């Protein structure tokens, strides 16, 4: 059955299958890593930068068709006082 899309916006794909927002997240993470690297001592800086880079890659991976940064944002924004039913109709 054909489903009507909820949004007709298209993402801007730049290169290597990465979209603009993906490159912005990776670039922002690397920028943050370089700015805070002076607080990490010695050889731990390499491990720190690898951890920052792997966290950025984790944030742009997809989970059920949605990127992880959107999944985390929606989970934090959700009202925890309201019960969301899993099933819509009668069984």
């Amino acid at each position: 059955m054909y489903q009507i899309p909820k949004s007709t916006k298209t993402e801007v794909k730049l290169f290597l299958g990465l979209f603009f927002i993906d490159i912005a997240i990776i670039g922002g993470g690397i920028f943050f890593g370089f700015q805070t690297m002076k607080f990490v001592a010695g050889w731990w800086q390499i491990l720190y930068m690898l951890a920052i880079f792997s966290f950025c890659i984790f944030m742009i991976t997809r989970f059920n068709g949605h990127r992880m940064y959107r999944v985390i944002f929606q989970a934090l924004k959700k009202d925890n006082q309201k019960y969301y039913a899993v099933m819509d109709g009668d069984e």
Side-chain angles (χ1 to χ4, degrees):
M1 178 177 193
Y2 179 74
Q3 295 180 354
I4 298 172
K6 292 181 181 176
S7 174
T8 57
K9 294 189 306 184
T10 59
E11 296 178 323
V12 179
K13 187 183 284 189
L14 296 177
F15 66 95
L16 297 175
L18 293 175
F19 295 97
F20 178 73
I21 191 70
D22 298 340
I23 294 173
I25 289 174
I26 291 172
I30 298 300
F31 177 76
F32 174 79
F34 276 120
Q35 294 298 318
T36 58
M37 191 169 32
K38 60 187 170 194
F39 300 117
V40 180
W43 288 97
W44 288 99
Q45 291 179 350
I46 296 170
L47 183 63
Y48 178 72
M49 287 305 291
L50 287 174
I52 292 286
F53 185 72
S54 59
F55 179 72
C56 291
I57 296 297
F58 168 75
M59 292 298 280
I60 64 172
T61 56
R62 291 186 180 264
F63 177 74
N64 288 340
H66 303 286
R67 290 194 176 86
M68 285 304 293
Y69 68 88
R70 288 292 297 166
V71 171
I72 293 170
F73 177 72
Q74 291 296 329
L76 293 175
K77 192 176 93 168
K78 162 179 101 162
D79 183 16
N80 290 330
Q81 300 299 320
K82 184 176 178 183
Y83 175 74
Y84 295 95
V86 177
M87 299 294 183
D88 290 331
D90 296 323
E91 285 200 11

